[in-house]
Amino acid sequence: MKEINMREMKVNQSGIVSAVKVSGELGRRIRDMGLLPGTEIKIQGRAPLYDPVALRLMGFTLTLRNSEADYIDVKVED
Amino acid sequence: MTATIALAGNPNSGKTTLFNALTGARQHVGNYPGVTVEKKQGSFVENGTRINIVDLPGTYSLTAYSLEEVVARDFLVKEKPAAVINIVDASNLERNLYLTLQFMELGVPLCVALNMVDVAESRGVKINIEKLGQMLDLPVLPTVARSGQGKKELIEAASHLIIGRKKPEPLLISYGEDIDNTLAEMVKRIEAGNFLTTTYPARWIALKYLENDQQILELGRETNAGLSQDLEKMAAWLADHFSKTLDTDPEAVIADHRYGYIKSILKQDVIKRNVRQDRLYLSDKIDRVVTNRFAGPLIMLAVIYGLYHFTFTYSEVPVGWVESLFGLLGGMAETHLPDGLFKSMIIAGVIDGVGGVLGFVPLIMFMFLGISLLEDSGYLARVAFMLDRVFRIFGLHGSSVMPFIVSGGIAGGCAVPGVMAARTLKSPKERLATLLTAPFMNCGAKLPVFALLVAAFFAEHEARIMLLITLTSWVGALLAAKLLRSTIIRGESTPFVMELPPYRFPTFRGLLIHTWERTWQYIKKAGTVILGISILLWAMMTFPGLPENQMAGFENQRQAILAASPATVVSEIESAGEETALSAEAEAVQDKLFAVDALESEDALRHSLAGRLGTSLEGISSLAGFDWRTNIALVGGFAAKEVVVSTLGTAYSLGEVDPEETGSLSERLAASPAWSPLTALSLIIFTIFYAPCFVAVVCIAREAGSWKWGVFSMVFNTTLAFGLAATVYQVGSMLNLMGG
C-alpha cells in the first residue's frame, strides 16, 4: 500500500481515502458527499480535457475538479 | 384545519416527482422572500384537513454555505411545518441519511419516504425497512414516486405526525470525547443565557459554533455579543487543540462521526447487498460512451445543436400564430379606431407590447421543455462535467454553456429564454457572470441589423463576416465574464463537487408541469413590467409631436401634389383601398405623397424625445462614427434589436422598413457619404455588445434577484460596446483602413 494524491490516480484504479486536507466550504462539500478517511473510491473516468475527474463511492458517482482532488490523499495498492 | 408539510431531501432523490405525485397540477411556483431560490407549493385535502405541501430546495447538507441550504433550514426552523417528509434514495442510502441525521439533530417532526425501492432492488440492494425505522426511531415508508406507489401510506404517516403534534427530542450524536465535552460546556452556557433557544435546540447551536456557521454566528453576535464571544472562544480553543494534536479540524471530525453513526446503523442487518458496490450499471455503461474522450464531445455537440434546433425551429409555428393574432388585432385597431394619439398608443404601445411579451412564450416553453428533458434525464450534469475545464478559465461553470447557446451562441437564439436557462446553474457567482454575459451572443433580432450592414458594405465576404461576428461575440462574452469575475463578482470559484446522477427517463407529467409553471411565471411577473416599458418607449419616440406649423407645412405639400394632379387620379387615389392596383399615373402621385409622409416621419422622429436624445449624443457618438440617425435607431433597438433597422429606415425618410426586406435601405446606406465600411464595422461591434433589449433586462433583473443587476447590464454593456466601437473606429480612421 502506498499513499498518493487523488490527481495521480488512473482510471479504474481504486483506493481508500486517507486524508482530506482542506477546511471551509470546499472541505465541507467534500465531506458532506461522504469523501472521508476510510471511504473506498474508484476512479470512474475523466472528462475529455482530463479534468474534472469522476469517481465512484458508496454506490454513486461524484465529480471533482483536479484542483479539488489535490486536497485528497488516497491509499492504493502498489 | 390546515397544516403544512415540508418535503426535503437530496437532489436527484425523486423529490420533485414525489411532489408532483402528491399535489398533481395544483401547484404554485414562487420565490422564497428576498432570494432567487424557487419555492414550490401545492395542496390537497386529507380527512378534512387542508394540507399545504412545500417543496424545499434539494440539498446534501444543512450548512450556511449555499442559499438553498439556508432557505431550507430557515423554513424548517421559522415556519415550523407540522411534519417533514424526508425523501431518501434507497439505492443511495448511506449518503442520503447524512441529511436525515441533520434533520433529526434539528428536532423536526420527521418521517422518511424510502424512495426508488424498485431501483435499489434491481441493483441487488435489499433494505430491511422495519429495522431501519427502529434504528432511526422514525416512521419509514417505501415509495416509488414515479408510479405513486406508497403515496397513501406516506400521507397517513405524515398525518399521524400532524395529529400527534409532539415535537420530537433532537437526536444527540456522540462526536467523541473532546467535542462532546466542549458541547456540554457550551450547552450549559447557552441554556443559562436563553441564547437563541426559542428558535434552535441548544446543542444544535453549539454544533454550529464548532462548525463555524456564519449565519448562526452573526445571529448570535446580534443577540448577545458577550456570550457569542465566549462560545467563539471555546470553539476556537477546540479547533486549535485538534489542529495541534490530530492535524484536523472540528468540522472534519463532526462529519466523520455523522457518517460513522450511519454506518453503525446500516451494519445492523439494515442493508444487504448481493453484488459488489462498484459493479457497473447501465448508467455507467452509457457514460463510457457519452463522456468518452472522442465520442463525448461529438455527441454533446449534436445534443446541444438538437436542443437549439428544437427551441427555435419547432417554436416557429406557434410564434407565427401569436404574431398573426397580434397582427390581426393591430389591423382591427387600425381600421376601427379614429386616427390620433390614442390609436397610435394602442397599436404601437399596447398591442405591440403585449404581442412582444407573448411572442416569447412559445420560445420559453420549448426551451424549458428541452432543458428539463436534459436535466431530468441526467445529461445536463454530463455537459457540465465535460465543459467545465473550458468555462472555468473564464470564471464560469460547465453549466454556463446552455444559457450561452440558447442566447445565440449558435447565431439566431434569444437572450430571454437564454437568461432563464441559467437557472440550472447552482453556483451563485458563476451564475451571475453567466446572466450578465449571455446577452452578448447573437440573438435572432440582431441578425437583421448585421444582414443590412453586411449587404451594404461587405457583400462579397458575407459568410466570412457572419462567422467573424459569431466568434467576436463568443470571445467578447467569455473575456467579459473573466473581467467581471476578477472585479465586481470576484471571489474563488464555487466548489464543483457534483453528483453525476444515474440516467433516468424523465416523467412526461413532470416535464409538462415544470414547463408550464415557469412559463406562467414569466407571463405574470415579467409581462406587466414589459408592457409598461413598451408604452414608455412608444411615448419617447412620439412626444413631443411636431409643432403645428411644421405639420401644416407637410399637409400643404400634400395638397399641392394633389392639386397639380388630374381630378380623375385624385379620386382614384381617394377611393382606392389598400389592396387595389392603381394606374401608373396614380401610382406616381401616390409615391410622391408617400415621400412627403416619410419626410414628415423623419422630422417627427428627430423632434421626439428619443430623437433629441440621439441628436444631443451626436458629439460623443461621433467618436464611434455614429450620427444622430444611428443614435435614434440604437435607442429604438432597446425595445427589440430588429427595431434598429426599421428606425434607421424612418430616419432616412424611407418610411417604416421591414427588417426582412432591407434592400432599399442598404443601398441608401452604401451611397450615403456619412457611411463607410468602417462605420458599419463599428456599428456591428456596438450592436453585438450594447445593452440587451429591455425584455432581456427585465429577465436578468428577475433572475439575479435585484434591479441593480438589470441596470448594471445596461450601463456596463453599453459602455463596453461604445469603448470597443470607438476604438475600432478611431484606430481604423487613423490607419485609413477600408476607405474610412
Side-chain angles (χ1 to χ4, degrees):
Chain A
M1 292 288 260
K2 61 171 179 181
E3 200 170 276
I4 60 168
N5 195 276
M6 190 187 271
R7 186 196 278 259
E8 296 157 31
M9 290 179 76
K10 302 191 172 54
V11 171
N12 285 328
Q13 192 177 11
S14 353
I16 294 172
V17 176
S18 55
V20 180
K21 292 185 262 174
V22 61
S23 55
E25 182 175 7
L26 179 58
R28 188 64 201 259
R29 293 280 171 244
I30 290 177
R31 294 187 182 97
D32 283 350
M33 299 303 271
L35 269 179
L36 301 162
T39 307
E40 272 179 61
I41 57 152
K42 181 179 175 190
I43 303 294
Q44 185 147 320
R46 289 182 186 273
L49 293 170
Y50 210 64
D51 183 14
V53 55
L55 45 118
R56 186 98 183 154
L57 69 153
M58 300 191 306
F60 73 98
T61 307
L62 186 72
T63 64
L64 288 175
R65 289 176 178 157
N66 278 342
S67 58
E68 295 164 347
D70 278 345
Y71 295 104
I72 302 171
D73 288 339
V74 184
K75 274 201 194 107
V76 294
E77 297 284 332
D78 284 316
Chain B
M1 200 176 111
T2 40
T4 302
I5 295 181
L7 197 58
N10 282 187
N12 310 308
S13 58
K15 198 163 59 66
T16 307
T17 314
L18 181 65
F19 179 75
N20 289 341
L22 290 174
T23 61
R26 295 169 304 261
Q27 32 179 287
H28 169 80
V29 183
N31 279 352
Y32 286 93
V35 294
T36 49
V37 179
E38 215 167 69
K39 181 184 191 180
K40 286 205 282 182
Q41 298 187 75
S43 67
F44 58 87
V45 178
E46 169 80 9
N47 286 337
T49 305
R50 170 153 292 276
I51 295 188
N52 192 12
I53 293 211
V54 178
D55 187 18
L56 296 182
T59 64
Y60 295 108
S61 186
L62 286 181
T63 69
Y65 289 119
S66 81
L67 262 182
E68 281 81 9
E69 293 177 46
V70 170
V71 157
R73 75 185 200 192
D74 275 355
F75 185 87
L76 295 176
V77 169
K78 291 181 182 149
E79 309 287 325
K80 296 191 171 43
V84 179
I85 295 177
N86 176 204
I87 182 157
V88 163
D89 175 359
S91 60
N92 204 342
L93 195 56
E94 202 166 339
R95 199 202 63 218
N96 274 254
L97 286 179
Y98 184 77
L99 181 66
T100 312
L101 230 53
Q102 296 185 56
F103 289 136
M104 291 165 74
E105 289 188 289
L106 197 50
V108 294
L110 199 65
C111 67
V112 171
L114 191 65
N115 194 34
M116 297 193 259
V117 278
D118 54 338
V119 178
E121 255 170 59
S122 74
R123 288 188 165 199
V125 179
K126 185 95 183 103
I127 295 165
N128 184 339
I129 294 172
E130 205 179 322
K131 185 86 185 190
L132 179 64
Q134 271 173 25
M135 300 300 299
L136 292 171
D137 193 18
L138 292 174
V140 177
L141 291 305
T143 58
V144 179
R146 280 169 165 281
S147 62
Q149 192 187 315
K151 184 172 105 177
K152 206 167 142 271
E153 293 80 1
L154 182 65
I155 293 173
E156 266 168 32
S159 302
H160 277 300
L161 288 176
I162 295 171
I163 297 161
R165 289 228 174 254
K166 205 183 94 213
K167 199 170 156 53
E169 283 300 312
L171 169 71
L172 308 178
I173 299 174
S174 168
Y175 288 106
E177 207 183 333
D178 286 334
I179 291 187
D180 282 353
N181 288 344
T182 311
L183 281 176
E185 200 60 33
M186 291 168 97
V187 166
K188 255 188 238 158
R189 303 285 309 267
I190 290 169
E191 281 174 346
N194 275 332
F195 182 69
L196 302 172
T197 43
T198 44
T199 328
Y200 305 98
R203 194 164 185 264
W204 191 85
I205 301 171
L207 261 178
K208 292 292 143 180
Y209 266 85
L210 295 188
E211 289 178 337
N212 196 21
D213 184 291
Q214 288 307 313
Q215 192 203 17
I216 297 297
L217 283 178
E218 262 169 48
L219 199 66
R221 286 174 197 145
E222 277 167 32
T223 317
N224 184 342
L227 181 50
S228 176
Q229 206 178 12
D230 290 351
L231 294 173
E232 280 171 61
K233 269 187 201 147
M234 293 162 92
W237 176 83
L238 190 69
D240 188 53
H241 173 70
F242 274 135
S243 99
K244 276 186 193 144
T245 57
L246 299 164
D247 192 22
T248 180
D249 57 75
E251 256 190 279
V253 178
I254 291 170
D256 230 11
H257 278 86
R258 281 195 184 128
Y259 269 108
Y261 187 89
I262 295 167
K263 285 199 179 86
S264 71
I265 291 179
L266 297 186
K267 259 190 224 151
Q268 316 213 14
D269 293 329
V270 168
I271 197 163
K272 242 193 237 136
R273 285 199 183 83
N274 302 329
V275 287
R276 283 174 52 89
Q277 209 170 2
D278 60 358
R279 198 192 100 169
L280 281 185
Y281 301 111
L282 177 62
S283 198
D284 305 316
K285 288 178 191 151
I286 299 175
D287 266 341
R288 286 265 148 118
V289 181
V290 163
T291 61
N292 174 281
R293 260 199 120 151
F294 305 101
L298 290 177
I299 296 173
M300 181 169 62
L301 275 179
V303 170
I304 288 176
Y305 185 77
L307 170 82
Y308 179 86
H309 189 75
F310 175 75
T311 305
F312 293 102
T313 311
Y314 294 141
S315 64
E316 253 173 32
V317 177
V319 167
W321 293 339
V322 175
E323 273 170 7
S324 27
L325 175 70
F326 282 88
L328 201 73
L329 283 177
M332 274 163 62
E334 182 73 49
T335 31
H336 293 294
L337 289 175
D339 279 339
L341 273 182
F342 179 69
K343 173 172 170 175
S344 153
M345 187 193 79
I346 290 292
I347 293 177
V350 180
I351 294 181
D352 284 0
V354 177
V357 172
L358 296 183
F360 287 108
V361 167
L363 276 182
I364 290 172
M365 286 179 80
F366 276 74
M367 183 279 294
F368 272 128
L369 195 61
I371 296 256
S372 310
L373 190 76
L374 293 184
E375 197 179 12
D376 294 358
S377 66
Y379 188 71
L380 209 52
R382 271 77 184 177
V383 173
F385 172 65
M386 284 188 276
L387 281 175
D388 186 68
R389 188 70 197 90
V390 180
F391 279 84
R392 192 198 329 161
I393 300 171
F394 304 99
L396 300 169
H397 185 276
S399 302
S400 302
V401 71
M402 284 302 165
F404 276 7
I405 295 289
V406 176
S407 294
I410 300 173
C414 175
V416 173
V419 160
M420 291 185 178
R423 276 186 207 183
T424 50
L425 246 167
K426 295 290 176 240
S427 320
K429 291 186 218 109
E430 288 82 350
R431 180 162 176 267
L432 187 57
T434 308
L435 281 178
L436 292 173
T437 50
F440 292 145
M441 294 297 157
N442 293 316
C443 68
K446 288 181 194 171
L447 294 183
V449 185
F450 300 145
L452 167 75
L453 296 170
V454 170
F457 298 99
F458 311 102
E460 301 99 81
H461 311 290
E462 195 174 329
R464 212 181 309 162
I465 295 277
M466 283 317 243
L467 179 68
L468 214 59
I469 289 174
T470 303
L471 287 178
T472 308
S473 59
W474 269 98
V475 171
L478 290 175
L479 291 180
K482 182 74 191 165
L483 176 71
L484 290 173
R485 286 287 279 115
S486 1
T487 52
I488 52 162
I489 326 175
R490 192 176 32 222
E492 284 210 17
S493 58
T494 318
F496 184 74
V497 186
M498 180 184 79
E499 187 184 359
L500 282 187
Y503 289 103
R504 281 179 195 138
F505 273 108
T507 63
F508 187 60
R509 171 181 169 153
L511 287 181
L512 287 189
I513 293 178
H514 193 89
T515 304
W516 171 245
E517 286 301 340
R518 273 155 198 77
T519 310
W520 178 235
Q521 224 184 344
Y522 160 79
I523 299 175
K524 218 170 39 176
K525 297 279 169 58
T528 40
V529 184
I530 292 167
L531 179 60
I533 298 179
S534 168
I535 294 179
L536 194 75
L537 275 178
W538 163 82
M540 271 183 73
M541 310 218 11
T542 311
F543 295 108
L546 280 178
E548 276 192 19
N549 59 345
Q550 260 177 287
M551 278 166 72
F554 285 113
E555 189 53 35
N556 287 342
Q557 284 183 39
R558 278 189 284 261
Q559 292 305 333
I561 292 169
L562 288 173
S565 317
T568 47
V569 172
V570 176
S571 66
E572 186 185 345
I573 288 173
E574 277 169 359
S575 63
E578 258 177 54
E579 306 289 319
T580 332
L582 294 171
S583 63
E585 279 176 318
E587 190 97 30
V589 174
Q590 182 86 306
D591 283 347
K592 279 188 200 158
L593 288 174
F594 281 155
V596 176
D597 288 350
L599 275 176
E600 186 177 358
S601 304
E602 181 194 338
D603 270 11
L605 183 61
R606 191 174 189 173
H607 194 75
S608 73
L609 204 59
R612 289 168 195 208
L613 193 65
T615 317
S616 67
L617 286 175
E618 212 170 31
I620 310 170
S621 71
S622 60
L623 285 174
F626 305 153
D627 64 359
W628 67 269
R629 291 185 169 91
T630 313
N631 290 351
I632 300 180
L634 290 170
V635 172
F638 183 57
K641 293 286 156 78
E642 73 266 23
V643 175
V644 170
V645 174
S646 55
T647 314
L648 263 183
T650 310
Y652 277 98
S653 20
L654 293 168
E656 286 236 348
V657 169
D658 182 348
E660 307 287 321
E661 289 164 41
T662 53
S664 58
L665 182 57
S666 70
E667 277 165 30
R668 183 73 180 256
L669 294 187
S672 162
W675 283 81
S676 67
L678 187 59
T679 326
L681 190 66
S682 165
L683 183 57
I684 287 175
I685 293 198
F686 191 82
T687 308
I688 295 175
F689 292 104
Y690 93 107
C693 70
F694 74 84
V695 185
V697 171
V698 171
C699 291
I700 290 172
R702 281 196 47 75
E703 296 296 320
S706 157
W707 272 100
K708 193 179 80 182
W709 291 113
V711 173
F712 176 83
S713 80
M714 292 191 282
V715 177
F716 173 72
N717 293 17
T718 310
T719 314
L720 177 71
F722 187 72
L724 292 174
T727 308
V728 165
Y729 188 74
Q730 292 302 326
V731 172
S733 306
M734 248 188 296
L735 301 176
N736 201 17
L737 287 172
M738 300 187 280

